[in-house]
Amino acid sequence: IIDRITTSQGERTDIAVWVTRPEGAGPFAMIAFHHAAHHPADIYDHYTSLHRHWASHGFIVASVDSSANVIGVPQSWQNLVDMSTFQLAAADMMLAESADPTSDLFGAVDSDRVFVSGHSRGGGASLISLWERPSLMGAVCFEQVSPLQAPNQDWDDPARNGNRPFPERPVLIFSAANDLDEAWPLVDSAFDQLTGPSTLVTLHGT
């Protein structure tokens, strides 16, 4: 549980984080995951198989539930920034727990190997998190909303718009070409802004 997060919609308390961990003591590389903007979020139902798959390969996954934050909010720049705030808060909570000798997660997280991941708007938030925290190792995005295309940006403020390169970090993007919300080639606009090692996997006909 994250005690408190402040976003554009005000202060949120007792934010749920679902942790999926490998067997053993660690430390493990960590993935901070943010779901898509569906309500209820159902993160434990929709993404459990993915998180267990990652855990089977030695990653500890922290999946944050920000469904209270995204309800009724348009697909805007601030919406994605708020999701990034939740995602980074989940990562910070995990790092703090891993450093606390009284926590069940003591020693579980390798602080030098922290990644972000997300689906749809959560994927767009993951890319914003790369700007917000260059220490992140990289990102895995599934059919992400491109920050470049998000409405209501302040194009005159270099720190509040999506028209800039991402930090030089590895990024893996998965795209279903016939997706109802982010059909091909919408996902490609963010891929073109990547500066580090990156791969875009587009599944045509899906």
Side-chain angles (χ1 to χ4, degrees):
I1 299 293
I2 303 173
D3 292 337
R4 185 174 295 106
I5 296 177
T6 301
T7 71
S8 66
Q9 294 196 59
E11 187 176 88
R12 304 292 181 185
T13 58
D14 297 334
I15 305 300
V17 177
W18 184 256
V19 178
T20 307
R21 63 177 296 171
E23 295 182 0
F28 307 108
M30 180 178 69
I31 299 173
F33 184 86
H34 198 292
H35 57 79
H38 41 79
H39 174 71
D42 292 332
I43 56 175
Y44 314 133
D45 297 328
H46 288 285
Y47 304 107
T48 297
S49 295
L50 172 65
H51 297 166
R52 287 177 176 169
H53 175 74
W54 281 334
S56 74
H57 287 273
F59 290 86
I60 188 168
V61 185
S63 186
V64 64
D65 183 357
S66 75
S67 57
N69 179 64
V70 300
I71 298 170
V73 178
Q75 185 173 302
S76 66
W77 173 258
Q78 189 61 60
N79 181 206
L80 299 184
V81 170
D82 286 345
M83 287 181 165
S84 170
T85 298
F86 274 83
Q87 185 178 57
L88 294 176
D92 289 340
M93 184 209 74
M94 292 290 291
L95 291 168
E97 291 290 315
S98 182
D100 181 359
T102 66
S103 170
D104 292 338
L105 293 172
F106 178 61
V109 178
D110 183 345
S111 60
D112 292 326
R113 294 190 297 158
V114 178
F115 298 81
V116 288
S117 179
H119 171 214
S120 192
R121 291 193 216 179
S126 299
L127 294 175
I128 289 177
S129 291
L130 292 183
W131 278 320
E132 295 295 323
R133 190 161 302 176
S135 62
L136 292 169
M137 288 292 292
V140 181
C141 301
F142 299 91
E143 206 67 46
Q144 89 282 341
V145 170
S146 171
L148 184 64
Q149 298 166 334
N152 302 331
Q153 302 191 48
D154 186 347
W155 296 104
D156 295 324
D157 185 344
R160 290 187 58 81
N161 71 70
N163 190 26
R164 59 192 190 278
F166 291 103
E168 190 172 342
R169 296 290 184 271
V171 177
L172 174 61
I173 296 176
F174 291 96
S175 170
N178 295 349
D179 185 81
L180 294 178
D181 295 321
E182 291 294 309
W184 182 85
L186 291 178
V187 170
D188 294 30
S189 62
F191 180 75
D192 292 339
Q193 294 175 264
L194 300 178
T195 61
S198 53
T199 299
L200 169 62
V201 180
T202 301
L203 304 176
H204 291 279
T206 60

